[in-house]
Amino acid sequence: MRTRALVIATMVIAATGCGGSADGSSAVGQVAPSAAIASSPDGVAVASATPSASPTPLCDDRPPPPFVTHASHPNDGVPDPAGRIVFGMSDHDDSILGQIVEPLLGIDPDGSDLALVLNCQVERPRISHDGTRLAFSIVMDDGTWQVATSAIDGSELRILTSTTGWAEWPDWAPDDSWLSFTLTDRCEPWPACTSLESSHNVIWRVNADGSDPRPIGDPSGHDHEPRLSPDGREVVFDRHIFDPAHPTGVALTIRDLAKGEERRVFSTDYDPEHLDWSPDGKWIIYNMPGYEGPEVIGRMPADDPNATPEMLYGDEDHPGIKPAYSPDGSRIVFGCSRMLCLMDADGSNVVTLVQLQEEPFNHFAWGVAP
């Protein structure tokens, strides 16, 4: 096995972090890295005598967009019992890592309390199960990606990891005490190589305070977008299959974290991605990129690999991306033709929550009201 270096540290950004204050300003304070952790050749985390570096997250102090500052709703100021939705505005596309969003915004499912959350370049936000914190991948000024958390309003920004590669796709454990994520090491020679085969993508975990990082996935795998089951015992993820007969092959795979046993949800020549697990543990939802057609949202039973994938949303005129379940599993938030949309869990009753012509929305999460 190839040795991969991972350095983990917790950095707390002072004041409001990169989150928006009442006047839309931001502040980035000093960071204090904790003791470094590295991985040994067998994947076991060991202490390192070298202190970790302290790169800076890519944040700025741009004001909230006009459609946010001018938003008005009869229920503004009244918490929505259906929870809180977080989403971003597409900023740019990374050639390897995909869509980057900035700013990160929040809104109640009834359309009220639209607000700026974070003026930083991030991806894949997730809301903690108690509704008080966010987790996401954040872009750093040294070109790395790190797992970070913040309060639900974007304050108290904490950088949990300090890797030389990319720490992505964080997800909260059921009790919010730790997070799973994918660690991708930079391929060599860097930065010329861009293929997935040139790097490892292994599922790791880290405590919510940045301590005790360790691998929990297949160390030889090429695994992406891990999502923990509602009981925290399993993780579903994308496994890339490097087979000449299936050049874009991806298998949705579930791993038992205690036993290490794995099972397929289903395999395809295309690329099911952006997974989410229904709160009752019965369904895996995803979107399928539009390589030869529109982007569509589908779902599969978590325990029946022979089932036929069920398409919930998407056609030539209405693509659907990055679905996420509501806390009670009754609805789904997703991107639909540059808009923020909701639908019932069976694909019916689609409604547009926010529409904007200038930039599409991307990366959606739905959590309970804090």
Side-chain angles (χ1 to χ4, degrees):
M1 181 199 309
R2 192 167 138 200
T3 303
R4 300 184 305 110
L6 172 68
V7 180
I8 296 290
T10 300
M11 301 189 291
V12 180
I13 307 299
T16 59
C18 299
S21 63
D23 61 358
S25 63
S26 300
V28 178
Q30 297 298 313
V31 296
S34 63
I37 301 292
S39 61
S40 65
D42 60 1
V44 178
V46 295
S48 170
T50 304
S52 59
S54 299
T56 303
L58 292 182
C59 305
D60 57 47
D61 59 357
R62 71 179 73 178
F67 77 94
V68 175
T69 56
H70 297 160
S72 178
H73 192 280
N75 291 335
D76 284 345
V78 179
D80 188 337
R84 185 77 172 156
I85 291 170
V86 172
F87 64 104
M89 293 178 61
S90 292
D91 183 82
H92 67 279
D93 282 358
D94 183 278
S95 61
I96 298 177
L97 303 174
Q99 299 84 13
I100 315 302
V101 297
E102 184 187 7
L104 200 61
L105 307 170
I107 193 170
D108 285 353
D110 63 3
S112 66
D113 292 316
L114 179 62
L116 173 69
V117 174
L118 200 64
N119 264 328
C120 302
Q121 294 185 18
V122 301
E123 66 164 3
R124 270 82 176 187
R126 296 290 282 184
I127 301 175
S128 61
H129 294 277
D130 65 4
T132 64
R133 295 195 66 80
L134 292 170
F136 41 82
S137 303
I138 194 165
V139 184
M140 309 296 283
D141 62 1
D142 64 351
T144 64
W145 287 67
Q146 309 298 342
V147 171
T149 65
S150 75
I152 192 68
D153 64 358
S155 63
E156 302 175 16
L157 178 63
R158 298 174 181 174
I159 311 299
L160 300 188
T161 62
S162 181
T163 173
T164 57
W166 303 302
E168 297 186 273
W169 297 300
D171 194 24
W172 296 94
D175 64 357
D176 297 328
S177 65
W178 60 276
L179 301 97
S180 64
F181 65 97
T182 294
L183 176 65
T184 302
D185 57 333
R186 294 195 186 195
C187 50
E188 300 295 342
W190 179 260
C193 59
T194 58
S195 65
L196 288 170
E197 296 96 325
S198 302
S199 63
H200 286 108
N201 311 279
V202 179
I203 300 172
W204 280 62
R205 60 164 285 169
V206 64
N207 288 341
D209 63 2
S211 64
D212 192 24
R214 48 193 166 93
I216 57 174
D218 183 345
S220 64
H222 295 270
D223 302 333
H224 296 266
E225 300 198 85
R227 291 293 181 236
L228 292 166
S229 62
D231 60 11
R233 296 178 179 175
E234 297 180 315
V235 60
V236 64
F237 54 90
D238 281 340
R239 169 161 292 164
H240 285 269
I241 303 170
F242 300 110
D243 182 347
H246 304 277
T248 59
V250 167
L252 294 191
T253 305
I254 292 176
R255 182 179 181 89
D256 184 304
L257 293 178
K259 300 177 181 178
E261 298 173 351
E262 295 181 348
R263 67 181 188 273
R264 294 277 177 91
V265 180
F266 79 106
S267 302
T268 173
D269 285 347
Y270 296 106
D271 190 4
E273 56 184 3
H274 312 319
L275 317 175
D276 199 18
W277 209 310
S278 64
D280 61 8
K282 294 181 178 180
W283 298 97
I284 305 296
I285 198 171
Y286 55 89
N287 82 249
M288 195 83 75
Y291 296 127
E292 297 180 0
E295 293 181 294
V296 298
I297 294 174
R299 68 178 182 180
M300 275 286 291
D303 59 357
D304 185 4
N306 297 315
T308 300
E310 181 181 357
M311 296 299 103
L312 299 181
Y313 180 92
D315 57 36
E316 290 290 347
D317 299 319
H318 305 91
I321 61 169
K322 294 184 177 69
Y325 277 103
S326 63
D328 65 2
S330 66
R331 288 187 288 172
I332 294 167
V333 61
F334 64 104
C336 56
S337 303
R338 306 172 68 90
M339 301 177 290
L340 172 65
C341 291
L342 308 179
M343 64 180 172
D344 289 350
D346 62 1
S348 62
N349 298 323
V350 178
V351 298
T352 300
L353 195 60
V354 184
Q355 182 173 357
L356 185 66
Q357 296 301 322
E358 290 81 3
E359 297 292 342
F361 298 126
N362 215 316
H363 298 295
F364 313 97
W366 194 336
V368 300

